[in-house]
Amino acid sequence: DMKIVSNNIFEKSKGNALTSENFADFIRKNEINEFYITGADAIACVKSTVFNMCRENFKVTVISDGITSYDKRKIDEMLKYYEKNGCKIITMNELLNSE
């Protein structure tokens, strides 16, 4: 059901997106340093990716209504964790209205 808009598709086998060598090479070669994060597991993959991207000094923004988790009660806690680690939190409407 996903609309493919690019041939730049990267697979990962660990939580942190930066562990995908192809993805890491792509962002390095294209000098990409700003990311908008969404994801299906706020307390695992999203958490690890946000933490590691912030640690690498990327500009990271999480779309708060674009994440979920098997335990939805922990999403607010994760949003605070992301912010504490240097990530900005916005909604999809805020992103769309900022342009």
Side-chain angles (χ1 to χ4, degrees), residues 5-74:
V5 297
S6 166
N7 290 328
N8 299 315
I9 299 172
F10 306 96
E11 294 182 19
K12 66 180 182 70
S13 59
K14 297 180 182 176
N16 173 11
L18 295 175
T19 61
S20 166
E21 290 182 27
N22 290 335
F23 177 67
D25 288 343
F26 178 82
I27 63 176
R28 190 173 18 265
K29 287 177 186 171
N30 291 284
E31 299 178 355
I32 300 169
N33 60 13
E34 182 174 2
F35 296 91
Y36 291 85
I37 307 292
T38 63
D41 198 348
I43 63 173
C45 297
V46 174
K47 180 181 180 183
S48 180
T49 297
V50 167
F51 174 82
N52 285 286
M53 284 185 161
C54 287
R55 189 177 70 178
E56 296 288 328
N57 295 315
F58 290 111
K59 183 177 179 186
V60 181
T61 301
V62 168
I63 310 299
S64 61
D65 49 349
I67 60 170
T68 192
S69 180
Y70 68 90
D71 187 353
K72 290 181 176 54
R73 297 170 298 174
K74 295 194 176 205

Side-chain angles (χ1 to χ4, degrees), residues 67-96:
I67 60 170
T68 192
S69 180
Y70 68 90
D71 187 353
K72 290 181 176 54
R73 297 170 298 174
K74 295 194 176 205
I75 290 178
D76 286 340
E77 176 186 335
M78 287 295 95
L79 292 172
K80 290 175 186 166
Y81 173 86
Y82 304 153
E83 273 188 312
K84 183 182 89 176
N85 282 283
C87 178
K88 183 177 178 182
I89 308 297
I90 63 172
T91 65
M92 181 59 81
N93 276 341
E94 290 171 327
L95 176 63
L96 295 174

